[in-house]
Amino acid sequence: MTLATEEHLRLLPKVELHCHVEGASRASTIADLARRHGVALPADNPADLYRFTGLNQFLAIYDVICSSLRTADDFRRITYEALEDGAAAGVRYREMFFSPGFVIRLGVDVATVWDGMRAGLLDARRDLDIACRLVLDFDKPSGVAHAEAMAEFAGAQDRDLLIGMGADSVERGIDHRAFAAAFESAARLGLHRTIHAGEDGPVDNIAAAVHELGCERIDHGFRLLDDPVLTGEIVDRRIPLTVCPTSNLMIANVIADLAEHPLAEQRRLGVLATVNSDDPGMMQFDIADEYVAVADAFGYSLEEMEQISLDGIEASWAPDEEKRALRARFEREFGELRGRFGLSARV
Ligand code: ADE
Ligand code: ZN
């Protein structure tokens, strides 16, 4: 068994399928934008805000962070910087969430958000070695009319830039089945579909997502193993989970130690469970840190970490040809890195 060093895991080429643009924003950028717009943050250094003891408190801080985002250029900047930081963590392909519900309620139009993010994405495609598509997450507590409006908006954009619709924010007390019509609209408009489910809420929300909302992926899925029959179905249908282990520890606070996380058991049972960071700016913990933490918590070999990276390609919504090219590139880079660190070739 080959164990990888931290440096090796940071350089490993990766796919990231669960990362929020707003949650990836740098504390220094939020401080700068708040100053420019005359928004008073509750702490001089936004990094001091990034302490939370559960999902609800985290989302309250997310609200504060989003109050600093006003103009299209603000959204361009945080999108571009999130991709710069992703590239530095070894991400070669990312499907990144954005959550307009947080700023729509402050009077910012979704078109302003999209214009800025689209520009940031296009600039990053030109400058950086990271491919990215965006996924619009509607805000579950904002209700079904908001969900439907977000499906219609997302459906009208360029599918190569905006590839899917998801949903985030609180889970407890939300009737997930109420969003069936919005997800049906998204499907009709050719959008891929995913949803945050089973993060700090019950496994029944995962069942609803798969059976009634037509979701193709599940974001988090921490509670999946509570339902062995559903687990079997998820394995058989290769429905991916975008797991965020350290987020579950730091944000949802559903485990006290990473080694308690069900990721290893999910993967052992054959679930296509990928590894992601969720909100790397707000957690000050990126996907490279996450790979190091996961390898350490579960004693994973370099081979297993390479497989986790390849599983991200399978779980992505990239076109088949792009997936083939990514696989070939990752295999080549795995070999180059092994050579550089004096390790034997992958078998
Ligand atoms: N938005 C950003 N991160 C989130 C999370 N972990 N759960 C729900 N909504 C979120
Ligand atoms: Zn998330």
Side-chain angles (χ1 to χ4, degrees):
M1 178 171 109
T2 313
L3 289 173
T5 61
E6 280 192 33
E7 191 190 356
H8 195 151
L9 291 174
R10 179 155 283 276
L11 292 170
L12 204 70
K14 303 170 189 76
V15 166
E16 185 157 44
L17 304 175
H18 188 154
C19 174
H20 300 260
V21 179
E22 304 86 353
S25 55
R26 298 173 187 163
S28 55
T29 297
I30 294 300
D32 184 38
L33 296 178
R35 202 175 318 111
R36 281 180 202 219
H37 298 311
V39 172
L41 296 176
D44 289 340
N45 179 0
D48 293 337
L49 296 172
Y50 294 169
R51 301 202 176 109
F52 8 83
T53 54
L55 186 55
N56 284 17
Q57 197 200 10
F58 168 80
L59 290 165
I61 295 168
Y62 210 85
D63 239 340
V64 171
I65 297 303
C66 289
S67 69
S68 310
L69 305 171
R70 295 292 163 96
T71 69
D73 196 61
D74 299 343
F75 295 103
R76 181 204 57 73
R77 177 171 169 188
I78 61 165
T79 304
Y80 188 87
E81 290 180 353
L83 291 171
E84 273 186 326
D85 295 343
V91 181
R92 303 280 188 266
Y93 179 82
R94 184 186 267 174
E95 286 162 11
M96 188 158 64
F97 298 127
F98 69 110
S99 307
F102 284 84
V103 293
I104 288 175
R105 55 179 170 257
L106 301 175
V108 179
D109 198 274
V110 62
T112 303
V113 178
W114 178 245
D115 284 351
M117 292 199 169
R118 185 176 169 281
L121 196 60
L122 292 172
D123 287 352
R125 282 190 180 183
R126 183 195 59 215
D127 299 344
L128 306 173
D129 185 13
I130 175 172
C132 180
R133 296 184 171 89
L134 290 166
V135 176
L136 192 160
D137 267 8
F138 68 79
D139 178 57
K140 292 179 207 169
S142 295
V144 294
H146 163 73
E148 188 67 57
M150 292 302 100
E152 295 297 328
F153 181 85
Q157 312 311 318
D158 180 341
R159 197 67 67 255
D160 186 47
L161 301 176
L162 207 174
I163 197 170
M165 184 177 83
D168 61 24
S169 189
V170 296
E171 182 176 7
R172 291 187 207 166
I174 299 277
D175 173 12
H176 286 58
R177 291 175 170 82
F179 299 115
F183 277 104
E184 215 171 283
S185 299
R188 178 176 41 78
L189 293 164
L191 292 160
H192 286 287
R193 282 98 50 216
T194 186
I195 191 166
H196 282 54
E199 178 186 13
D200 73 344
V203 66
D204 185 52
N205 290 345
I206 305 176
V210 169
H211 296 144
E212 295 181 46
L213 306 182
C215 288
E216 303 153 83
R217 279 200 311 240
I218 299 296
D219 300 316
H220 291 296
F222 179 85
R223 298 239 63 96
L224 175 65
L225 301 182
D226 291 355
D227 184 339
V229 175
L230 182 65
T231 302
E233 181 184 348
I234 289 219
V235 169
D236 291 344
R237 293 175 57 192
R238 303 250 345 123
I239 295 174
L241 303 188
T242 65
V243 177
C244 307
T246 301
S247 161
N248 294 153
L249 179 78
M250 287 177 66
I251 295 178
N253 210 11
V254 285
I255 42 170
D257 188 297
L258 213 60
E260 294 168 22
H261 197 284
L263 171 75
E265 181 64 2
Q266 289 168 347
R267 289 187 59 80
R268 197 187 63 75
L269 292 170
V271 177
L272 184 56
T274 63
V275 169
N276 307 271
S277 70
D278 209 2
D279 297 288
M282 292 181 69
M283 290 170 35
Q284 298 175 70
F285 200 85
D286 66 20
I287 190 172
D289 298 321
E290 194 74 59
Y291 269 50
V292 172
V294 161
D296 187 47
F298 303 117
Y300 278 160
S301 64
L302 173 60
E303 290 74 16
E304 183 67 16
M305 297 314 297
E306 289 169 338
Q307 187 57 49
I308 286 175
S309 170
L310 293 173
D311 285 349
I313 301 176
E314 176 180 347
S316 81
W317 294 327
D320 285 345
E321 206 168 300
E322 205 171 314
K323 287 188 176 186
R324 272 194 293 277
L326 277 170
R327 270 190 208 103
R329 178 179 180 183
F330 279 30
E331 297 281 4
R332 177 172 47 78
E333 291 189 1
F334 289 164
E336 286 165 3
L337 283 172
R338 280 170 174 261
R340 180 162 156 190
F341 288 98
L343 302 172
S344 53
R346 188 161 167 265
V347 280

